Amino acid sequence: MSTSPPFNEEAIIELVRQVAGPAPAGVDVGLGDDAAVLQVGGLQIAVTTDLMVEGVHFDLSFCSPADVGHRVMAANLSDLAAMGAKPAWGFWSLALAPKPRREVVEPLARGLVDLGREHGLALVGGDTTAAPQMAVNLCLMGLLEGARPLLRSGARAGDAVCVTGPLGGSAGGLAWLAQGGNPSEPTADRAVQAYLRPRPRVAVGRALALSGRVTAMMDLSDGLASDLARLAKASGLGARVEADLIPLPNQLPTLAERLGADPLRWALSGGEDFELLFTCSPEDVPLLTEAAARAEDGTQVSQVGRMVPESGTFLQSGEGLADIAFTGYDHFPPER
Amino acid sequence: MSTSPPFNEEAIIELVRQVAGPAPAGVDVGLGDDAAVLQVGGLQIAVTTDLMVEGVHFDLSFCSPADVGHRVMAANLSDLAAMGAKPAWGFWSLALAPKPRREVVEPLARGLVDLGREHGLALVGGDTTAAPQMAVNLCLMGLLEGARPLLRSGARAGDAVCVTGPLGGSAGGLAWLAQGGNPSEPTADRAVQAYLRPRPRVAVGRALALSGRVTAMMDLSDGLASDLARLAKASGLGARVEADLIPLPNQLPTLAERLGADPLRWALSGGEDFELLFTCSPEDVPLLTEAAARAEDGTQVSQVGRMVPESGTFLQSGEGLADIAFTGYDHFPPER
């Protein structure tokens, strides 16, 4: 039997999309965005699902069960935020290693439930099973309620490319923890929190969606490089980003130096910041910056580049122009 | 640090339910039934989720990727069937071992998509991730459309306990395959199909729900012993089942004899038959038997016992009365 070579995450998603076929009536947004949007009884609901597996998405030697619960909920809420949806209901699947202890299950459940509740989401059903290692899946539903779903495909050439929050903190925190660093060390503590306890931008996403001025939006889960490349591809455009404009947390350059790492690389390719990436007319940037800060105190919005007609996602830095498309996290990297 | 002992599946579910707290407004059925029921825009939608993990729920040495896809979809559709819901939309999470091949991913996706489509369900979103072994989660949504949600808690003392289909085939097929048996061996082939390609009773569940004569319903996923104990407990009652009334597939006693196993035990404790368990007034059994056969040609309905006021789930056989409550599949069995 001849076998085809391994294929990467994008190719797998594309294959599943082909097998699933076109979306039926009642599906306003199907495969390929942060969440699907369904029409139910005249309402639009956004639905997203995300699975995290021990040893792949988290390491229980430095993530507590409560951190795991929080992170899975954050990743899923972030997808609803990216659609401008108001979180409503959630369904979990917990895979637990054999002989689970109450001391593990209870904080895991609390991590999920507490962050959900903070954003108005109730967990109303689920499944529990044994597995060789811990894995947590969530499927969340949110209501659009007045917001038009914000797709990846709506960007226009000339649009500003904006991000919320500083980027790269989560990857820096992970790098620190993975090397056995003390989580409360002052150089690292905020990065560690960004990794262990990310804040999904639910209120900000909703405010941006309700503004009517955002042309495309998605959340930053795999790093700016890959996620912007996805947005550009979905919009049939390219993007140019300036290295100097990418917002880094204040402590990150020092932390990176201690680890011999590049903080810009963390921001571009690290992933799991769960901030928002969006596009708009350049003249709307101040208005949207204000709307974001009003929705969630202290939210920082930075214009990091612009959309261009030519395809490709490039970074402009002192070293010239570099192709950064799809250099972020890939679950199934091609063999090198 | 003192640690509490391991706790079993029921205790884990109860703990998560406590942490999640009471269901908010808009949730007609919350935790603890086959599916949750939500009110969205004046419609009732049933939502269920179910995760299957390689090495726990399936063995790729005798389940093809297409079988895996079919089985996960069947398990989830069966939960919708048990609520009388009409399948509509589904969301998958695929965890794939590193370097997945197209020859694995495509049939897996087809197994999911094809069975879903057969029952009117479209897969409209999902997530893909790497993991040490394959795992597939589905979250399915269905519409009640005229059916009152059929809960586990509605049984009344004196009600007939009925099941669709013969039981135990799936467990027999699994036992045969696990021993390296030839799947097309005439003594085993139908049991093997019952295991690899279970038929969720979607049309039958809907017909039973629309009849208005069923008092409680659930699907048989962990075996009659455990599932009936759950229904009885939820209804605040007990149940008595007669061994002679439990319908077994014709070939099953012969297969069991070859394997030195007890076919009745397969039916009681094997699980994954994905047939329906329901209760109704004894005088409604003929009418519901007819409704089931009309909904899906050849569907067999058997009354296997009755609900009683005294708690406990007991089996009456030639050997007397035996307590069978919760002797079915438990993902987290207590240590013995």
Side-chain angles (χ1 to χ4, degrees):
Chain A
M1 189 177 98
S2 82
T3 59
S4 59
F7 55 138
N8 73 358
E9 192 169 351
E10 296 291 312
I12 292 172
I13 293 168
E14 184 51 37
L15 173 63
V16 177
R17 188 198 311 241
Q18 279 170 20
V19 173
V27 178
D28 290 346
V29 178
L31 276 167
D33 223 291
D34 295 275
V37 178
L38 309 174
Q39 281 197 34
V40 183
L43 298 184
Q44 282 189 307
I45 59 174
V47 188
T48 187
T49 188
D50 212 63
L51 171 66
M52 289 198 184
V53 180
E54 181 183 348
V56 179
H57 299 88
F58 56 87
D59 183 329
L60 287 172
S61 68
F62 53 79
C63 286
S64 73
D67 295 330
V68 171
H70 181 105
R71 295 185 76 241
V72 181
M73 182 56 81
N76 279 276
L77 285 172
S78 183
D79 284 322
L80 290 185
M83 298 306 276
K86 195 175 145 189
W89 305 290
F91 298 82
W92 72 84
S93 295
L94 296 185
L96 300 170
K99 300 183 191 166
R101 287 178 304 117
R102 182 177 290 271
E103 290 87 341
V104 169
V105 179
E106 188 164 358
L108 173 62
R110 283 212 186 282
L112 291 168
V113 167
D114 289 350
L115 183 62
R117 195 172 282 159
E118 200 180 306
H119 293 281
L121 181 127
L123 286 169
V124 294
D127 181 38
T128 307
T129 185
Q133 67 283 111
M134 187 189 284
V136 184
N137 190 82
L138 284 180
C139 184
L140 302 191
M141 299 162 61
L143 298 166
L144 268 293
E145 277 188 8
R148 203 168 39 88
L150 275 175
L151 308 188
R152 300 177 177 183
S153 56
R156 301 159 308 188
D159 273 356
V161 174
C162 299
V163 297
T164 62
L167 304 181
S170 178
L174 171 59
W176 179 255
L177 291 171
Q179 298 210 2
N182 174 357
S184 44
E185 170 91 21
T187 339
D189 58 352
R190 274 162 297 167
V192 165
Q193 283 305 301
Y195 174 70
L196 294 179
R197 296 286 171 148
R199 310 299 315 168
R201 298 296 175 195
V202 174
V204 173
R206 193 137 174 84
L208 292 172
L210 289 170
S211 75
R213 304 295 185 98
V214 170
T215 53
M217 187 154 73
M218 68 184 294
D219 77 319
L220 286 165
S221 52
D222 291 341
L224 182 61
S226 282
D227 290 329
L228 179 55
R230 289 193 180 105
L231 186 146
K233 197 178 161 198
S235 297
L237 297 170
R240 300 290 175 274
V241 170
E242 288 185 44
D244 285 350
L245 298 178
I246 294 174
L248 301 177
N250 291 336
Q251 75 177 174
L252 210 65
T254 313
L255 180 64
E257 205 181 328
R258 283 186 65 172
L259 293 173
D262 176 0
L264 189 65
R265 202 174 156 74
W266 283 340
L268 289 170
S269 309
E272 298 194 322
D273 283 310
F274 301 121
E275 296 288 348
L276 294 171
L277 166 66
F278 65 92
T279 59
C280 61
S281 289
E283 62 264 32
D284 285 336
V285 174
L287 179 148
L288 292 172
T289 301
E290 205 186 300
R294 218 170 26 234
E296 193 180 325
D297 204 31
T299 302
Q300 181 184 339
V301 168
S302 310
Q303 178 176 349
V304 297
R306 63 203 159 80
M307 302 303 297
V308 297
E310 311 80 41
S311 66
T313 297
F314 290 89
L315 179 75
Q316 176 74 57
S317 72
E319 293 158 27
L321 206 62
D323 183 351
I324 56 167
F326 299 108
T327 55
Y329 192 78
D330 186 330
H331 276 291
F332 305 101
E335 285 178 301
R336 294 176 207 282
Chain B
M1 189 176 99
S2 83
T3 59
S4 59
F7 55 138
N8 74 356
E9 192 168 352
E10 296 290 313
I12 292 172
I13 293 168
E14 184 52 35
L15 173 63
V16 178
R17 189 199 310 241
Q18 278 169 22
V19 173
V27 178
D28 290 345
V29 178
L31 277 166
D33 223 292
D34 295 275
V37 178
L38 309 173
Q39 281 196 33
V40 182
L43 298 184
Q44 282 189 308
I45 59 174
V47 188
T48 188
T49 188
D50 212 64
L51 172 65
M52 290 199 184
V53 181
E54 180 183 348
V56 179
H57 299 87
F58 56 87
D59 183 328
L60 288 171
S61 69
F62 53 78
C63 286
S64 74
D67 294 331
V68 171
H70 180 105
R71 296 185 76 242
V72 182
M73 182 56 82
N76 278 275
L77 285 171
S78 182
D79 283 322
L80 291 184
M83 298 303 278
K86 194 174 143 187
W89 305 291
F91 298 83
W92 71 85
S93 294
L94 297 185
L96 300 170
K99 301 182 189 165
R101 288 179 302 118
R102 180 176 291 271
E103 291 85 341
V104 169
V105 179
E106 188 163 357
L108 173 63
R110 282 211 187 283
L112 290 168
V113 167
D114 289 351
L115 183 62
R117 194 171 283 157
E118 199 179 305
H119 293 281
L121 181 128
L123 286 168
V124 294
D127 181 38
T128 307
T129 186
Q133 66 283 111
M134 188 189 284
V136 184
N137 189 82
L138 284 180
C139 183
L140 302 191
M141 300 162 62
L143 298 165
L144 269 292
E145 278 188 6
R148 203 168 39 88
L150 274 176
L151 309 188
R152 298 174 178 185
S153 55
R156 301 160 307 188
D159 273 357
V161 173
C162 299
V163 297
T164 62
L167 304 180
S170 179
L174 171 58
W176 179 255
L177 291 171
Q179 298 211 2
N182 175 359
S184 43
E185 170 90 22
T187 339
D189 58 353
R190 274 163 297 166
V192 165
Q193 283 305 300
Y195 174 71
L196 294 179
R197 298 285 170 148
R199 310 300 314 167
R201 298 295 175 196
V202 173
V204 173
R206 197 145 169 79
L208 291 172
L210 289 170
S211 75
R213 304 296 184 98
V214 171
T215 54
M217 186 155 72
M218 67 184 294
D219 77 318
L220 286 166
S221 52
D222 291 341
L224 181 61
S226 282
D227 290 329
L228 179 55
R230 290 194 179 103
L231 186 147
K233 198 178 160 197
S235 296
L237 298 171
R240 300 289 175 273
V241 169
E242 287 184 48
D244 285 349
L245 298 179
I246 295 174
L248 301 177
N250 292 337
Q251 75 178 173
L252 210 64
T254 312
L255 180 63
E257 204 180 329
R258 284 186 63 171
L259 293 172
D262 176 0
L264 189 65
R265 202 175 155 75
W266 284 339
L268 289 170
S269 310
E272 299 194 320
D273 282 311
F274 301 120
E275 295 289 349
L276 295 170
L277 166 67
F278 65 93
T279 58
C280 61
S281 289
E283 63 264 33
D284 285 336
V285 174
L287 179 149
L288 292 171
T289 301
E290 203 187 302
R294 219 171 24 234
E296 194 180 326
D297 204 32
T299 303
Q300 179 184 342
V301 168
S302 310
Q303 178 176 350
V304 296
R306 64 201 159 83
M307 302 303 297
V308 296
E310 310 81 42
S311 67
T313 297
F314 290 88
L315 179 75
Q316 175 74 57
S317 73
E319 293 158 28
L321 206 61
D323 182 352
I324 56 166
F326 298 109
T327 55
Y329 192 77
D330 186 332
H331 276 292
F332 304 104
E335 283 176 303
R336 293 178 209 282

